[in-house]
Amino acid sequence: MSTTATTTSEEVSSNEWEVIHMSEQEEDLIHRMYKLVGDKWNLIAGRIPGRKAEEIERYWIMRHTHAFSVTTNQSKAKTS
């Protein structure tokens, strides 16, 4: 008897992500923690009340990935 599990995966393109707004204090803490522990998003999120690891990671990608910023800037240029 064999059983197969079916899972549904929702992949969301980074172009569809909502902009994540962080306070200056949150941004500062994220930058400092990243320098200390790297991309351990759960650890960083644990230091920021009300934030999830996924939010912190998306914020970091949106702010620090060249490919994302180029795509975002191109999208803004098309809508202006």
Side-chain angles (χ1 to χ4, degrees), residues 9-59:
S9 170
E10 277 189 41
E11 290 188 25
V12 178
S13 166
S14 59
N15 293 334
E16 298 173 9
W17 285 349
E18 288 184 31
V19 174
I20 298 173
H21 299 284
M22 298 277 180
S23 69
E24 286 184 38
Q25 293 84 7
E26 288 173 322
E27 289 181 14
D28 182 55
L29 183 56
I30 292 167
H31 285 277
R32 289 188 288 126
M33 289 290 297
Y34 187 84
K35 285 181 184 179
L36 289 172
V37 301
D39 63 356
K40 295 185 173 141
W41 308 118
N42 283 324
L43 186 62
I44 296 171
R47 301 283 187 240
I48 304 173
R51 296 290 186 179
K52 296 178 183 175
E54 295 80 18
E55 282 180 299
I56 304 297
E57 183 177 11
R58 263 192 284 147
Y59 163 79

